[in-house]
């Protein structure tokens, strides 16, 4: 947690995303959706696709905020327009199906 916090404070976009994931899931910290949103917003301002996706999911489900389908759709649209990340997620899914859970997790997180 300490290293991700320092990385996020230094505007390292992956550090912001991972810190958001830690707060969202309650990994080694108390679950805090407001801090997850803060870190996902910071990462999304740098164009991180998974940050946009995580924010879209939170808006779509109303997790930690009021549910907003129009905002979720706009964020999902940003995700869809940002490159060939789909291939990478398919590789992660294939690893998961084949029992390579650690490799799949690392690909999902990156």
């Amino acid at each position: 947690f300490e290293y991700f916090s320092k990385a996020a404070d230094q505007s390292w976009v992956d550090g912001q995303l991972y810190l958001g994931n830690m707060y969202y899931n309650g990994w080694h910290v108390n679950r805090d959706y407001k801090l997850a949103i803060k870190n996902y917003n910071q990462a999304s301002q740098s164009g991180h696709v998974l940050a946009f996706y995580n924010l879209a999911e939170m808006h779509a489900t109303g997790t930690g905020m009021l549910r907003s389908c129009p905002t979720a759709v706009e964020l999902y649209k940003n995700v869809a327009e940002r490159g060939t990340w789909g291939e990478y997620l398919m590789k992660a899914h294939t690893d998961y199906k084949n029992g390579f859970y650690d490799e799949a997790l690392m690909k999902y997180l990156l």
Side-chain angles (χ1 to χ4, degrees), residues 55-63 65-76:
L55 286 170
E57 287 288 300
M58 293 180 82
H59 279 282
T61 61
T63 304
M65 62 184 69
L66 290 175
R67 186 175 182 195
S68 174
C69 291
T71 303
V73 167
E74 194 62 37
L75 290 166
Y76 284 131

Side-chain angles (χ1 to χ4, degrees), residues 30-42:
N30 291 327
R31 180 172 281 169
D32 188 332
Y33 293 131
K34 291 191 185 321
L35 288 174
I37 292 165
K38 175 188 167 202
N39 284 284
Y40 289 151
N41 276 327
Q42 288 174 340

Side-chain angles (χ1 to χ4, degrees), residues 1-96:
F1 173 78
E2 177 185 349
Y3 294 114
F4 287 126
S5 293
K6 288 180 181 180
D9 288 343
Q10 295 176 12
S11 300
W12 184 52
V13 69
D14 287 329
Q16 294 164 340
L17 178 75
Y18 294 140
L19 196 57
N21 289 341
M22 291 177 79
Y23 281 119
Y24 182 85
N25 293 298
W27 294 336
H28 305 287
V29 294
N30 291 327
R31 180 172 281 169
D32 188 332
Y33 293 131
K34 291 191 185 321
L35 288 174
I37 292 165
K38 175 188 167 202
N39 284 284
Y40 289 151
N41 276 327
Q42 288 174 340
S44 71
Q45 289 172 1
S46 297
H48 203 296
V49 175
L50 290 177
F52 280 111
Y53 177 79
N54 291 338
L55 286 170
E57 287 288 300
M58 293 180 82
H59 279 282
T61 61
T63 304
M65 62 184 69
L66 290 175
R67 186 175 182 195
S68 174
C69 291
T71 303
V73 167
E74 194 62 37
L75 290 166
Y76 284 131
K77 183 180 174 196
N78 273 331
V79 172
E81 292 172 346
R82 291 185 184 267
T84 59
W85 55 271
E87 294 173 25
Y88 200 68
L89 290 178
M90 287 304 297
K91 289 177 184 178
H93 181 67
T94 301
D95 282 348
Y96 178 81

